[in-house]
Amino acid sequence: MNKCSLLAIVSALTLGASAFAADANSYQVTGPILELTDTKIVVQKGKDKWELARNADTKVTGELKVGAKVTIQYSMTAQSVEAKEDKAKAGAKPAEKPAK
């Protein structure tokens, strides 16, 4: 196998893996709009109501209005994380020193 063929295969695998990784954190919901404001869209999915935030950067294709069926692409991103000490370790007594 020559170097060009090997490079093409490695490039294809790398691009395919990165595209798959990008989709891993992307989700979608489809349903009719129940409520619409400048900061949120509420969509009915089955019996559940999904409320998703939106802002000026939200890309909109078509006209949004209550009752319109939409498909919303979204991702979940942590805004803050607080690590807590393990309760089992926090309540444990320190090991006693052996008597001399």
Side-chain angles (χ1 to χ4, degrees), residues 59-70:
K59 180 182 174 186
V60 176
T61 303
E63 182 183 350
L64 296 181
K65 59 184 176 184
V66 174
K69 184 176 179 182
V70 294

Side-chain angles (χ1 to χ4, degrees), residues 61-82:
T61 303
E63 182 183 350
L64 296 181
K65 59 184 176 184
V66 174
K69 184 176 179 182
V70 294
T71 298
I72 300 173
Q73 301 288 331
Y74 67 95
S75 63
M76 291 188 268
T77 303
Q79 293 179 346
S80 67
V81 178
E82 180 181 346

